[in-house]
Amino acid sequence: MGNVFVSVKDLELNNQYAYKWIDARFNLQDSAEGHHLFENSHIDQAVYWDLEKDLSDMNKAAGRHPMPDKEQLKALFERSGLQQQQNILIYDQGGAPFATRAWWMLQYGGFKNVKVVQEGYQALEQAGFKTSNEKSKVKTTSLEIDWQDHLYTDRNGVKDIVEGKVKRTLLDARAHNRYKGEIEPIDKVAGHIPGALNYDWEQLKTKGYLAPNDSLLEVVSKDEPITVYCGSGVTASPLYAVLKEMDYQNVQLYTGSYSDWITEYEVEKGE
């Protein structure tokens, strides 16, 4: 096992119930699809975490997938029956940013023993892990959360980086033509946060799943503090996760990301 990811081939079938399973499947084009998939079939005793209902607070105005507050996340962890020290496995459809979003929220909450199943649900099913279409019976827990605030930053923290008050490298996870401001299919303003570098998270896909890529080393070195962002805070999470898998030590996530930044501040275009 790596720091973040585990391959299906490294999981033992007879150990299935030694893990707490979280299903994070989602579709950004069809927000109901993930829950429908879960209801149809999921790893037995898994709980479902919805990107927009559980892993974002869509009532906030801090980007397109705003960060839930600590009380909301604590309630999610507790109603999911989580224990701080238990072994937790998260899956999505593979090669997607949703399991890493859930994984990051658990890192923020101080959970130590959490892995993302690299190849996703279908590979687990094909490997013979028991599945179900029944809702899991969950015993709620009561947690003392050890919040890891250094893993998270907001718009003001990023402004301090842009102004040189804090020495960190901003790393934009979007496609290169969006970073350069040549196109912008979603947000009102095209470009990137001033001073940011670019590494398209799609480069992390290998054979349909997320994996380390040595080309990252050509963009950011392991000894520099890094703050990752994307458009809405979702696709930055696989980049964050792979950086941690590759032993980058000082990484944080700007969950508001570009869609939050442009509500207050100027952008750059070009390289």
Side-chain angles (χ1 to χ4, degrees):
M1 287 194 190
N3 297 320
V4 179
F5 298 101
V6 61
S7 173
V8 171
K9 68 178 186 297
D10 294 325
L11 296 172
E12 297 177 15
L13 276 176
N14 59 3
N15 259 352
Q16 174 169 344
Y17 297 102
Y19 298 99
K20 178 74 177 183
W21 294 85
I22 296 171
D23 185 319
R25 286 176 289 175
F26 195 79
N27 182 345
L28 288 166
Q29 282 71 50
D30 178 2
S31 61
E33 182 181 290
H35 194 253
H36 290 324
L37 289 170
F38 178 79
E39 287 184 324
N40 185 55
S41 181
H42 54 263
I43 296 300
D44 190 37
Q45 296 189 17
V47 295
Y48 181 68
W49 284 6
D50 185 285
L51 171 68
E52 295 187 345
K53 294 175 183 173
D54 299 311
L55 301 174
S56 310
D57 182 350
M58 303 302 281
N59 295 314
K60 287 183 181 174
R64 281 182 278 110
H65 289 99
M67 178 77 173
D69 63 33
K70 289 176 177 176
E71 291 73 22
Q72 290 169 307
L73 286 172
K74 183 174 187 287
L76 172 64
F77 301 157
E78 291 179 340
R79 70 173 177 264
S80 300
L82 302 191
Q83 300 279 7
Q84 209 86 39
Q85 299 305 319
Q86 73 189 140
N87 292 311
I88 301 170
L89 292 178
I90 312 171
Y91 63 86
D92 54 22
Q93 52 267 60
F98 313 115
T100 52
R101 169 85 165 194
W103 173 85
W104 183 86
M105 295 290 175
L106 287 165
Q107 300 303 301
Y108 179 60
F111 289 81
K112 305 290 187 198
N113 305 313
V114 189
K115 302 286 185 197
V116 172
V117 180
Q118 214 164 11
E119 300 91 345
Y121 178 72
Q122 196 170 5
L124 286 164
E125 188 178 37
Q126 289 172 350
F129 284 87
K130 188 171 189 277
T131 61
S132 172
N133 59 7
E134 295 181 8
K135 190 174 180 181
S136 308
K137 295 181 177 68
V138 178
K139 185 178 179 182
T140 58
T141 51
S142 181
L143 299 171
E144 293 289 328
I145 306 290
D146 180 22
W147 298 105
Q148 304 294 300
D149 289 311
H150 62 286
L151 303 183
Y152 161 77
T153 194
D154 60 12
R155 190 192 311 144
N156 293 327
V158 173
K159 186 169 187 284
D160 286 343
I161 298 169
V162 171
E163 293 177 346
K165 295 175 184 173
V166 173
K167 187 168 173 52
R168 298 187 70 89
T169 299
L170 286 168
L171 189 58
D172 186 319
R174 296 173 303 159
H176 196 56
N177 53 0
R178 285 184 74 191
Y179 164 82
K180 289 195 292 184
E182 293 174 351
I183 64 160
E184 183 43 64
I186 306 171
D187 292 308
K188 293 178 180 177
V189 181
H192 59 264
I193 298 174
L197 303 177
N198 178 231
Y199 189 89
D200 183 353
W201 80 279
E202 298 269 4
Q203 295 176 79
L204 303 173
K205 292 184 187 180
T206 304
K207 300 175 186 173
Y209 56 83
L210 299 170
N213 188 326
D214 285 345
S215 62
L216 252 176
L217 297 165
E218 299 166 17
V219 180
V220 282
S221 67
K222 288 190 177 182
D223 58 359
E224 58 188 304
I226 299 164
T227 299
V228 295
Y229 76 90
C230 56
S232 75
V234 177
T235 59
S237 67
L239 181 52
Y240 178 102
V242 169
L243 286 164
K244 297 307 290 183
E245 181 79 353
M246 294 174 67
D247 292 321
Y248 283 75
Q249 297 300 309
N250 190 342
V251 189
Q252 67 178 192
L253 185 65
Y254 173 26
T255 42
S257 281
Y258 186 76
S259 58
D260 175 57
W261 176 262
I262 61 174
T263 63
E264 291 281 338
Y265 301 123
E266 297 296 311
V267 303
E268 280 183 347
K269 291 188 178 183
E271 295 288 353

